[in-house]
């Protein structure tokens, strides 16, 4: 077992990994940028090191700097979290070269998963059904030929894409040329890979994914499925486990497909096999060779700590569970709480003035923020992940509605009203969801109504802050004083001082 792990990430996922380390008796090492001078993950870790300016290329994407800190701190392994370097094969290779364990799959597997063209080929070889589509296409004429074979509408996709980036829907031959150029450009810009291919565009599929665990001894199991159909711009906002669309037979079928795919590519560690589901058919979509944002709901319904398992697998241990040991109990829902306009989803930045997280039975909050913390413009706008559990799906929804009611975040706009609108939508409650749900149900208009209705309620809840020993102005003055005191190069303030500051708003 490792004695020290560096977490090459920030925010709530860095804290999540560090919690697993603490429970396992492993020391954790944090890295932070100039934008995260007062981030909670920096204080929670046993050690912390400054690695550069706010621009991710200077800090969280700086492989040389992260490796340097790992060696300096004596960390035996690096956990990449998700995002940043989590699916970077070059980073995994560099770790191997430096004698540091990368907590994730091998560089070869990361490359397969990172290429949608290659992963489709491998899944077809394994007998896993894929969406009708093409291999890589080199020209507009070739794309046009494949589109005619597949039938419009089609989706042009960047092979190295993720998070919906590089997907362009084409409804007619006239749209194909512009879409081809746009998809290639996005692929090159975001993933340094201009390879594109075509897939049949499914109008209203459900997005269902399977969590797998695989050790270095040939053992592979799945932990059931998650439904991720509530999305905007191909990016997930609400996830739940299990899927309300599947029965036990279908659940077993999709689980076996994921395990079969994992064995075909000799996958190790934790990973996710994503599928689209329509009219009783499952179609492989992609592989996420990392920890997923929504791993939390699988942990809730199975009782299995996925992050601990990642560490144990990386240290060489065998899986402690067999497939028959995995039981799904109850229902869990996760809402991604983002700093953004709840109607048009534009990201927001700003300082959190008042903060109170929800609690009570069946509620979990994974967060890396605190009162006085500024949401940086340079990174993803996620504030926290709010998870609700119930014995039934309806109870989980009721608990989520209650938790959203309790959640107070002031100083920056959030998408909490969006989540309230979805939880109150009658079709969502019935489980009639798909990837076009947000647009079809016109959730944006309902959000506006809930924003107006909740203003007086929120005002009453805000009264609890009026009795605080520190006023809003005093808290702001403390934070401003810290800003003025700290020069960008000076990061040697003792951990205990920061902990004292954070306790003001705990």
């Amino acid at each position: 077992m490792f004695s020290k792990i560096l977490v090459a990430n920030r925010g709530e996922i860095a804290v999540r990994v560090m919690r697993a380390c603490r429970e396992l008796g492993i020391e954790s090492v944090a890295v932070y940028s100039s934008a995260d001078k007062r981030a909670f993950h920096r204080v929670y870790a046993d050690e912390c090191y400054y690695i550069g300016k706010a621009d991710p290329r200077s800090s969280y994407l700086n492989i040389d700097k992260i490796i340097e800190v790992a060696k300096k701190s004596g960390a035996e392994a690096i956990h990449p979290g998700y995002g940043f370097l989590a699916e970077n094969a070059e980073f995994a290779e560099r770790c191997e070269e430096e004698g540091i364990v990368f907590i994730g799959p091998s560089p070869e597997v990361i490359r397969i998963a990172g290429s949608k063209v290659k992963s489709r080929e491998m899944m077809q070889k394994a007998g896993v059904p894929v969406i009708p589509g093409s291999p890589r296409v080199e020209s507009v004429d070739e794309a046009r030929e494949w589109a005619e074979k597949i039938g419009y509408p089609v989706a042009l996709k960047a092979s190295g894409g993720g998070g919906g980036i590089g997907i362009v829907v084409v409804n007619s031959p006239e749209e194909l040329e512009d879409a081809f150029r746009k998809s290639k450009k996005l692929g090159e810009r975001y993933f340094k890979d201009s390879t594109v291919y075509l897939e049949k565009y499914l109008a209203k599929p459900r997005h269902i994914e399977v969590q797998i665990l695989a050790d270095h001894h040939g053992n592979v199991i799945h932990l059931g499925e998650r439904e991720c159909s509530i999305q905007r711009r191909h990016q997930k906002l609400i996830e739940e486990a299990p899927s309300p669309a599947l029965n036990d037979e279908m659940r077993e079928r999709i689980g076996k497909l994921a395990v079969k795919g994992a064995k075909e590519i000799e996958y190790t560690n934790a990973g996710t096999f994503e599928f689209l589901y329509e009219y009783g058919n499952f179609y492989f979509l992609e592989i996420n060779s990392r920890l997923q944002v929504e791993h939390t709901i699988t942990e809730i319904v199975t009782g299995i700590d996925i992050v601990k398992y990642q560490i144990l697998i990386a240290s060489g241990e065998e899986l402690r569970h067999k497939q028959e040991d995995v039981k799904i109990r109850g229902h869990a829902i996760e809402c991604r709480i983002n700093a953004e306009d709840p109607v048009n989803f534009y990201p927001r930045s700003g300082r959190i003035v008042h903060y109170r997280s929800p609690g009570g039975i069946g509620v979990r909050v994974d967060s890396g923020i605190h009162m006085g913390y500024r949401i940086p413009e340079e990174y993803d706008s996620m504030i926290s992940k709010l998870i609700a559990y119930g014995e039934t799906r309806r109870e989980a929804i009721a608990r989520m509605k209650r938790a959203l009611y309790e959640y107070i975040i002031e100083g920056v706009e959030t998408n909490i009203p969006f989540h309230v609108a979805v939880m109150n939508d009658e079709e969502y409650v019935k489980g009639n969801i798909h990837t076009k749900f947000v647009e079809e149900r016109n959730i944006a208009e309902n959000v506006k109504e809930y924003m107006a209705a909740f203003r007086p309620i929120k005002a009453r809840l805000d009264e609890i802050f009026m009795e605080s020993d520190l006023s809003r102005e005093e808290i702001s003055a403390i934070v401003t004083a810290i800003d003025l005191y700290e020069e960008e190069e000076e990061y040697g303030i003792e951990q205990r001082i920061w902990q004292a500051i954070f306790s003001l708003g705990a």
Side-chain angles (χ1 to χ4, degrees), residues 9-169:
N9 218 297
R10 62 180 298 279
E12 60 83 19
I13 191 54
V15 175
R16 169 69 188 91
V17 175
M18 291 168 189
R19 282 173 170 159
C21 290
R22 194 170 292 276
E23 289 182 22
L24 289 169
I26 300 170
E27 292 185 3
S28 60
V29 179
V31 292
Y32 67 97
S33 73
S34 59
D36 283 331
K37 292 180 291 186
R38 289 183 300 281
F40 183 64
H41 78 275
R42 175 191 169 188
V43 175
Y44 191 85
D46 297 290
E47 300 176 35
C48 65
Y49 295 83
Y50 172 67
I51 55 170
K53 304 293 186 181
D55 183 344
R57 292 169 296 182
S58 300
S59 50
Y60 299 109
L61 292 175
N62 189 331
I63 293 176
D64 289 338
K65 192 67 178 178
I66 290 171
I67 294 293
E68 177 188 326
V69 169
K71 296 173 105 175
K72 180 179 180 181
S73 66
E76 302 140 290
I78 294 178
H79 194 302
Y82 48 70
F84 293 126
L85 295 171
E87 294 174 285
N88 187 307
E90 292 179 11
F91 181 52
E93 277 182 336
R94 181 71 183 279
C95 288
E96 287 184 358
E97 292 168 2
E98 300 288 347
I100 301 168
V101 176
F102 177 80
I103 301 178
S106 68
E108 295 76 21
V109 167
I110 293 174
R111 286 195 172 91
I112 291 171
S115 168
K116 289 187 171 63
V117 170
K118 182 63 175 177
S119 59
R120 275 173 58 90
E121 292 173 355
M122 297 295 285
M123 292 305 103
Q124 286 177 304
K125 182 180 176 182
V128 177
V130 301
I131 302 171
S134 73
R136 65 183 294 167
V137 291
E138 304 287 355
S139 66
V140 174
D141 288 339
E142 189 178 354
R144 186 170 288 113
E145 289 176 11
W146 274 104
E148 293 296 334
K149 290 179 184 178
I150 297 167
Y152 291 95
V154 296
L156 266 164
K157 293 188 173 184
S159 178
I165 298 171
I167 299 176
V168 185
V169 178

Side-chain angles (χ1 to χ4, degrees), residues 294-358:
E294 60 272 19
H295 74 278
T296 55
I297 51 177
T298 297
E299 292 181 326
I300 293 291
V301 298
T302 63
I304 294 174
D305 189 317
I306 295 171
V307 179
K308 277 187 185 177
Y309 244 137
Q310 286 190 290
I311 295 169
L312 295 172
I313 290 169
S315 70
E317 289 201 22
E318 286 193 61
L319 293 178
R320 299 174 181 179
H321 291 77
K322 298 185 183 300
Q323 191 61 62
E324 57 267 26
D325 299 327
V326 179
K327 307 295 181 185
I328 308 297
R329 298 178 178 86
H331 202 93
I333 299 171
E334 175 182 279
C335 290
R336 302 188 186 194
I337 307 301
N338 298 333
E340 62 185 22
D341 185 304
V343 176
N344 58 34
F345 305 117
Y346 294 147
R348 295 285 190 257
S349 62
R351 193 179 301 283
I352 294 176
V353 178
H354 286 153
Y355 181 82
R356 178 176 171 81
S357 59

Side-chain angles (χ1 to χ4, degrees), residues 162-452:
I165 298 171
I167 299 176
V168 185
V169 178
V170 184
N171 293 294
S172 67
E174 292 74 25
E175 300 174 7
L176 192 63
E177 185 170 349
D178 285 345
F180 179 81
R181 300 186 195 287
K182 182 178 180 181
S183 187
K184 284 182 73 68
K185 184 177 180 180
L186 289 169
E188 177 61 35
R189 177 182 175 186
Y190 288 97
F191 313 109
K192 297 180 180 178
D193 181 1
S194 61
T195 304
V196 297
Y197 69 103
L198 281 83
E199 278 184 351
K200 177 66 180 174
Y201 181 69
L202 304 181
K204 294 181 183 179
R206 299 178 83 115
H207 188 146
I208 299 176
E209 62 187 27
V210 180
Q211 176 71 58
I212 64 104
L213 292 172
D215 62 26
H216 294 277
H217 306 277
N219 303 304
V220 184
I221 63 172
H222 70 83
L223 304 184
E225 86 287 354
R226 299 182 287 255
E227 172 123 8
C228 312
S229 296
I230 304 300
Q231 307 176 2
R232 51 103 167 98
R233 301 171 191 148
H234 304 289
Q235 295 187 329
K236 305 165 188 172
L237 285 171
I238 299 174
E239 301 97 344
E240 56 185 297
S243 167
L246 305 190
N247 57 32
D248 289 341
E249 182 275 326
M250 298 160 73
R251 185 162 293 116
E252 183 178 0
R253 176 155 54 102
I254 194 174
K256 285 182 176 178
L257 289 174
V259 169
K260 183 188 291 188
K263 288 182 175 179
E264 177 66 29
I265 63 174
E266 299 182 358
Y267 197 100
T268 55
N269 214 271
T272 302
F273 282 68
E274 302 202 353
F275 297 82
L276 293 182
Y277 172 73
E278 190 175 71
Y279 304 124
N281 297 311
F282 295 111
Y283 301 101
F284 169 78
L285 180 64
E286 64 183 9
I287 304 167
N288 285 294
S289 57
R290 55 171 168 80
L291 187 68
Q292 291 279 91
V293 173
E294 60 272 19
H295 74 278
T296 55
I297 51 177
T298 297
E299 292 181 326
I300 293 291
V301 298
T302 63
I304 294 174
D305 189 317
I306 295 171
V307 179
K308 277 187 185 177
Y309 244 137
Q310 286 190 290
I311 295 169
L312 295 172
I313 290 169
S315 70
E317 289 201 22
E318 286 193 61
L319 293 178
R320 299 174 181 179
H321 291 77
K322 298 185 183 300
Q323 191 61 62
E324 57 267 26
D325 299 327
V326 179
K327 307 295 181 185
I328 308 297
R329 298 178 178 86
H331 202 93
I333 299 171
E334 175 182 279
C335 290
R336 302 188 186 194
I337 307 301
N338 298 333
E340 62 185 22
D341 185 304
V343 176
N344 58 34
F345 305 117
Y346 294 147
R348 295 285 190 257
S349 62
R351 193 179 301 283
I352 294 176
V353 178
H354 286 153
Y355 181 82
R356 178 176 171 81
S357 59
I361 187 169
V363 174
R364 167 178 168 177
V365 181
D366 279 24
S367 169
I369 59 103
H370 53 83
M371 251 165 69
Y373 178 67
R374 177 175 291 281
I375 306 295
E377 298 177 355
E378 293 84 1
Y379 311 124
D380 185 88
S381 63
M382 184 186 294
I383 292 174
S384 67
K385 300 183 304 197
L386 177 60
I387 303 100
Y389 171 80
E391 290 189 3
T392 65
R393 185 172 184 269
R394 283 186 177 266
E395 184 175 55
I397 292 172
R399 283 199 174 133
M400 180 60 78
K401 289 165 68 174
R402 186 260 295 171
L404 290 166
Y405 171 86
E406 294 177 6
Y407 213 163
I408 299 175
I409 304 172
E410 282 196 345
V412 63
E413 195 171 22
T414 76
N415 64 346
I416 288 177
F418 167 85
H419 292 296
V420 172
V422 173
M423 292 298 130
N424 283 280
D425 186 275
E426 59 182 1
E427 291 302 311
Y428 177 81
V429 173
K430 291 176 183 176
N432 297 330
I433 56 179
H434 50 78
T435 56
K436 303 298 181 296
F437 177 88
V438 172
E439 296 85 357
E440 184 177 277
R441 296 296 294 169
N442 198 17
I443 297 298
E445 287 304 311
N446 294 335
V447 167
K448 295 175 184 177
E449 295 178 13
Y450 282 105
M451 287 174 72

